[in-house]
Amino acid sequence: FEDLYDVRTVLECAAVKRICDRDAVAPQLHELKRIWLVPEEERIADIGTLSALDERFHEMLVEAAGNGEMARIHHSVSERIRIIRRLDFTKQVRIDATYSEHGKIARAIIQRRSDQAQMMLKAHIEASKNEVRKITLHMLHSARIEAGPDSS
């Protein structure tokens, strides 16, 4: 899964650069702003909805770049890691971080601060990858303990 996260990072950062280099504002940016740049009391609390919106945030970034092939590849990568990405929404601190980080990334893109947006996006994806890795390892360890000593 880590290789897929790396591919995702490359695609999304390339998309951010393309978006920021364009003259026209991509319509997807208005939608990102509407969802992610909201007061705390207006944030969505439902984990399933939020998880889907998180995935959509990243897909919309790539779609906004205007390269259909990049969007197709990114969607394929997202499909393959969806189940483990959702593990990232099991802790409130990660939910809060997602709103905060998405908002900052969206603001930087809207202000055409490409380098800053890419840096924040890389950090955001890396934090998610690290959290998913920890949760996955913990779940595997717990399953091994529950299965007993003969299950090596």
Side-chain angles (χ1 to χ4, degrees), residues 10-29 32 57-71 74 109:
V10 168
L11 288 171
E12 290 183 34
C13 285
V16 165
K17 181 167 178 14
R18 286 178 64 117
I19 295 165
C20 290
D21 288 347
R22 292 174 119 183
D23 290 332
V25 175
Q28 292 90 338
L29 296 182
L32 293 179
F57 171 87
H58 295 277
E59 285 190 340
M60 287 173 74
L61 285 181
V62 178
E63 290 168 6
N67 182 318
E69 193 59 24
M70 275 176 66
H74 183 270
I109 293 169

Side-chain angles (χ1 to χ4, degrees), residues 1 14 19 37 58 60 83 101-102 138 143:
F1 83 89
I19 295 165
L37 295 174
H58 295 277
M60 287 173 74
I83 192 80
E101 293 166 9
H102 283 191
H138 175 73

